[in-house]
Amino acid sequence: MTVPHEQPEERQARPSAESRPPAAQRPEPAPRPAAAPQADPAPRPAAAPQADPAPRPAAAPQADPAPRPAAAPQAGPAPRTPSATQAAAPPVKAGEERPEPRQTLTRPSAVLDEAHEGDIEGALGRIRAGDEQRSGWKRRLITFLAIVGPGLIVMVGDNDAGGVSTYAQAGQNYGYSLLWVLLLLIPVLIVNQEMVVRLGAVTGVGHARLINERFGRFWGWFSVGDLFLLNFLTIVTEFIGVSLALAFFGVSKYIAVPIAALVLVAITASGSFARWERAMFFFIATSLVLFPLAFASHPSYSASIYHLVVPGVQGGFTSDAVLLIIAIVGTTVAPWQLFFQQSNVIDKRITPRFMGYERADTTLGAVVVIVGAGAILIIADFAVRGTKLVGHFTDALGVANALSNNHGYWYGALFSIVLLDASIIGAAAVTLSTSYAFGDVFGLKHSLHRSFRDAKQFYLSYAALVAVAAAIVLIPGAPLGLITTAVQALAGVLLPSASAFLLLLCNDREVLGPWVNARWLNVVAIVIIGTLLLLSGILVVTTVFTHVGATTAALWVAVLLVVTVVGAAVWLRIRHARGEEAAPPPPVQLSPEQRLNWRMPPLALLKPVVWSPATRLGMIVLRGYLVVSVLLLIVKAVQLGGG
């Protein structure tokens, strides 16, 4: 099986090599337990090579029954160089041949919690640290099954209560005509999440901590503070989804929401990463009832294919349609996904050797989430087809009732199960991403491998978020509609900034070394960020200034972006002509084996970030945009809250 964790073994071997006597470093065969005293200078055969310089090259093998040419250098602490060293090898039993030591980089990893090192323990398998890589499709399949999880969970969790509601609204109000939006989001999801996969596997440090360390406390707390607020509001919407789903079966929200909260805390605080992941896979498997429900909805396959590849909107590109498209993007590509998957990759102990498998996991998840979103859209269209409800979406419970009234009780019941399941998966993932960030920033133990007693603050922060969010939903007269609107608006504001930080980190050679972005990937990421910024601006303008149409807002924001880009280009051209731009650092040249073993060194050893003029200007503009947008949204929320 693939070699997962050379680096943790290497770090564990170094202190022992410095603290034990030299002879103790040499693994001796089992019949020779008294080998250590032979290091004393005495007329013994083992001392002959040290006393006699060169005339007897075969003396060392004769002194040791098992000929090991590498044993002589191990008689003393091996000097460490900045290039490479031998990774620690497991003890060799009598009669076995010692494998050739693998050459790995000596730079220690920056992993902050020792629970993030060791065997990979997944819901579908386990890979022990030190297992050798073997070829063959069966071994690769076994490895993939052990690795799969972070990508699939983050993507399926993205089809949460808000996602189900948004996709159902698209289907009920616009039929199949918005399927093309979902198809365009697949590359956006894959590009964004692949970058956090690399950051997690190579650095061993969470997204929030990296932002705080590399860009300063202002940006760190700005990013984490907004994440905490946005995630908390998102968790509230998940419990709204729980209450709506069980209301279909006549269960009061005062019973449904507390039970759901207890289930979430119980499956997370079990003290086992594998048990938590198995629980998530159970809910993912339950969500598959969505697909037979979609097939039972008699979809038009020709219309589905047409609207997947031909952009358009039923009834034209009205302001409401444009806002719904923005909502689809915002609910499908959310900031919490970046923080969650990076930390979950770290917690699962995935290293660069397994990068390919985790990329496949992420791609699989992206396809599953988009296919699921399309299925919800098709079901919602089927629910109201030929009725007066077309174009009059209320909420997800309204779709379930329409299915039950127009096509049979079990249609509505299955859709309600899908909504309940999506709400629980979303709440689990969003809450865990917040607790991961909390532990990362404050230097707490933050791993699902730890028991509740061993990581009380980590689990208590999770339980507190769940409890408070559930309590808000139970408050009579709570502005749940306002909370849902605020979640979409805040997600629209934070997504471009989160993607910008992600792009900067993935081009930081101190952080990713040989794993930095390729040039083509930077171009794709910049186009994605620009598009997200345009959509974010439209959402902010139309949320704050309700009298402004989406088309007008799009024109304003587009003109502003063009003016900003042209102005920045002119300013950078002047800087370049004056020779004020610093030369970029040279790329790191490593062999394929060294690249697989490269991990980010401890954060304290990293060189400070040196921003180029373009980066500095972009961050100033981004800071101004975030501050103004958040203030406007707060004012709007206060106005709506006051009636």
Side-chain angles (χ1 to χ4, degrees):
M1 197 173 290
T2 331
V3 181
H5 286 281
E6 298 280 347
Q7 211 59 23
E9 296 180 22
E10 182 184 350
R11 288 192 297 278
Q12 295 171 5
R14 287 176 189 150
S16 61
E18 296 172 355
S19 59
R20 299 177 183 175
Q25 300 174 30
R26 182 173 60 240
E28 295 290 337
R32 298 184 60 189
Q38 294 181 5
D40 297 333
R44 292 187 177 93
Q50 299 176 3
D52 200 350
R56 291 183 295 175
Q62 295 172 3
D64 198 333
R68 292 186 296 272
Q74 294 177 357
R80 292 186 179 90
T81 65
S83 57
T85 187
Q86 294 179 354
V92 181
K93 299 179 180 179
E96 292 184 359
E97 294 184 1
R98 180 182 298 277
E100 287 295 325
R102 181 175 283 106
Q103 297 294 320
T104 60
L105 294 185
T106 60
R107 300 174 69 178
S109 170
V111 174
L112 300 176
D113 191 331
E114 61 270 18
H116 294 157
E117 302 176 5
D119 298 346
I120 296 178
E121 302 175 11
L124 304 180
R126 179 174 184 173
I127 305 175
R128 296 188 179 276
D131 281 357
E132 295 294 326
Q133 183 175 358
R134 301 175 185 177
S135 59
W137 67 270
K138 288 185 178 180
R139 301 300 300 183
R140 294 184 182 276
L141 177 60
I142 292 173
T143 303
F144 174 73
L145 291 177
I147 294 295
V148 70
L152 187 60
I153 292 171
V154 73
M155 296 298 184
V156 175
D158 190 45
N159 275 358
D160 58 356
V164 171
S165 178
T166 303
Y167 306 139
Q169 182 179 358
Q172 182 171 342
N173 291 356
Y174 297 97
Y176 291 8
S177 63
L178 294 181
L179 284 173
W180 59 274
V181 180
L182 299 177
L183 186 63
L184 291 179
L185 290 176
I186 292 181
V188 177
L189 286 169
I190 293 175
V191 168
N192 271 10
Q193 298 305 127
E194 188 278 336
M195 287 193 281
V196 296
V197 165
R198 265 184 293 132
L199 282 173
V202 174
T203 68
V205 177
H207 203 68
R209 183 63 178 269
L210 282 179
I211 293 175
N212 191 65
E213 294 288 339
R214 299 305 287 164
F215 305 115
R217 291 186 177 181
F218 172 82
W219 282 112
W221 285 108
F222 195 96
S223 177
V224 173
D226 286 344
L227 175 75
F228 287 168
L229 175 61
L230 176 61
N231 283 7
F232 174 73
L233 295 177
T234 304
I235 299 165
V236 173
T237 65
E238 308 300 356
F239 283 113
I240 295 173
V242 170
S243 65
L244 291 176
L246 291 179
F248 179 86
F249 301 101
V251 180
S252 168
K253 70 177 182 178
Y254 296 101
I255 298 175
V257 172
I259 292 177
L262 290 175
V263 169
L264 285 170
V265 174
I267 63 178
T268 303
S270 64
S272 168
F273 185 96
R275 280 197 293 269
W276 173 84
E277 196 170 71
R278 289 189 193 105
M280 291 296 99
F281 278 14
F282 168 77
F283 289 115
I284 290 174
T286 304
S287 70
L288 296 180
V289 301
L290 178 66
F291 297 105
L293 180 58
F295 285 118
S297 299
H298 308 292
S300 171
Y301 297 104
S302 59
S304 300
I305 295 173
Y306 174 82
H307 288 292
L308 272 174
V309 297
V310 179
V313 178
Q314 181 177 300
F317 281 91
T318 62
S319 296
D320 290 342
V322 173
L323 288 179
L324 183 57
I325 292 173
I326 295 171
I328 292 174
V329 175
T331 194
T332 309
V333 188
W336 70 264
Q337 296 174 264
L338 308 179
F339 292 82
F340 172 83
Q341 189 170 4
Q342 183 167 334
S343 292
N344 204 237
V345 163
I346 296 167
D347 206 7
K348 195 165 184 177
R349 302 162 176 170
I350 295 174
T351 64
R353 288 186 171 274
F354 295 96
M355 195 86 73
Y357 293 101
E358 184 52 31
R359 284 168 172 162
D361 175 32
T362 302
T363 303
L364 172 64
V367 173
V368 169
V369 71
I370 295 303
V371 173
I376 294 171
L377 187 149
I378 289 172
I379 293 168
D381 171 77
F382 172 72
V384 300
R385 189 182 303 162
T387 70
K388 296 180 180 179
L389 295 175
V390 175
H392 300 285
F393 175 82
T394 54
D395 53 31
L397 178 59
V399 175
N401 288 329
L403 284 167
S404 178
N405 296 333
N406 299 328
H407 303 288
Y409 175 80
W410 287 108
Y411 282 89
L414 288 178
F415 188 81
S416 297
I417 291 173
V418 169
L419 175 61
L420 174 64
D421 189 73
S423 301
I424 293 177
I425 296 176
V430 176
T431 309
L432 187 56
S433 75
T434 311
S435 296
Y436 274 142
F438 183 82
D440 237 346
V441 170
F442 292 102
L444 306 175
K445 296 176 180 178
H446 53 293
S447 173
L448 293 175
H449 293 285
R450 294 188 178 277
S451 65
F452 183 86
R453 179 179 300 179
D454 194 25
K456 288 183 180 179
Q457 293 170 306
F458 171 65
Y459 289 116
L460 286 176
S461 67
Y462 183 96
L465 279 169
V466 170
V468 176
I472 289 178
V473 177
L474 298 180
I475 297 175
L480 302 182
L482 177 60
I483 291 174
T484 304
T485 302
V487 167
Q488 292 180 342
L490 276 177
V493 170
L494 295 179
L495 184 57
S497 64
S499 300
F501 283 124
L502 175 63
L503 183 61
L504 292 174
L505 288 172
C506 286
N507 283 278
D508 189 340
R509 294 196 181 277
E510 287 291 308
V511 170
L512 282 184
W515 293 97
V516 293
N517 278 1
R519 181 173 298 178
W520 68 267
L521 185 57
N522 284 332
V523 172
V524 173
I526 290 173
V527 172
I528 290 174
I529 292 173
T531 304
L532 294 176
L533 196 59
L534 175 63
L535 296 177
S536 170
I538 296 171
L539 182 60
V540 171
V541 171
T542 52
T543 301
V544 176
F545 306 103
T546 54
H547 63 282
V548 178
T551 306
T552 304
L555 182 61
W556 288 1
V557 175
V559 170
L560 181 61
L561 284 176
V562 170
V563 171
T564 302
V565 170
V566 171
V570 172
W571 182 69
L572 292 174
R573 183 75 175 176
I574 295 173
R575 300 267 305 187
H576 179 72
R578 295 176 179 175
E580 298 177 4
E581 293 186 14
V588 179
Q589 299 294 335
L590 298 175
S591 67
E593 183 66 20
Q594 289 175 327
R595 188 171 186 264
L596 287 176
N597 287 292
W598 198 95
R599 305 296 299 276
M600 186 183 78
L603 292 167
L605 301 182
L606 300 183
K607 296 178 182 177
V609 175
V610 179
W611 280 350
S612 67
T615 304
R616 188 175 302 279
L617 178 62
M619 295 305 291
I620 292 173
V621 173
L622 181 60
R623 177 183 297 186
Y625 166 75
L626 288 175
V627 171
V628 172
S629 299
V630 170
L631 289 177
L632 289 174
L633 289 176
I634 291 175
V635 171
K636 184 65 176 180
V638 171
Q639 291 175 348
L640 292 176

